[in-house]
Amino acid sequence: MKTQLDMILIDTPPLLQISDARLICHDADAVVMVVAQHTLREVAIQAKQRLMDDGSNLIGTILNKWD
């Protein structure tokens, strides 16, 4: 599909709950992590670390449902 499209966005299940997300992130050109307001800081840090350990290219974060 890369040859036919400019960009492909994939919304995965939560990173720490489903292993599919880590596999998809590893194969993606870039990853943007979405962190909801209720997410504990330690959990967000753990998710980021797993992405780094997998060799994923984390390029940014979106803060979702924040006041």
Side-chain angles (χ1 to χ4, degrees):
M1 292 176 71
K2 279 183 165 183
T3 60
Q4 299 172 357
L5 303 169
D6 293 331
M7 184 181 301
I8 302 168
L9 298 175
I10 301 171
D11 183 14
T12 67
L15 184 69
L16 298 179
Q17 296 175 4
I18 310 283
S19 61
D20 295 357
R22 291 177 70 183
L23 295 172
I24 292 170
C25 290
H26 179 270
D27 289 336
D29 292 335
V31 175
V32 177
M33 188 168 69
V34 178
V35 179
Q37 181 178 10
H38 67 273
T39 304
L40 298 175
R41 179 185 172 113
E42 294 79 19
V43 173
I45 291 170
Q46 182 182 19
K48 177 186 176 245
Q49 187 58 50
R50 288 198 183 168
L51 289 171
M52 299 293 98
D53 292 346
D54 293 341
S56 298
N57 181 22
L58 180 62
I59 62 168
T61 304
I62 294 174
L63 304 177
N64 191 15
K65 301 179 185 175
W66 286 66
D67 292 330

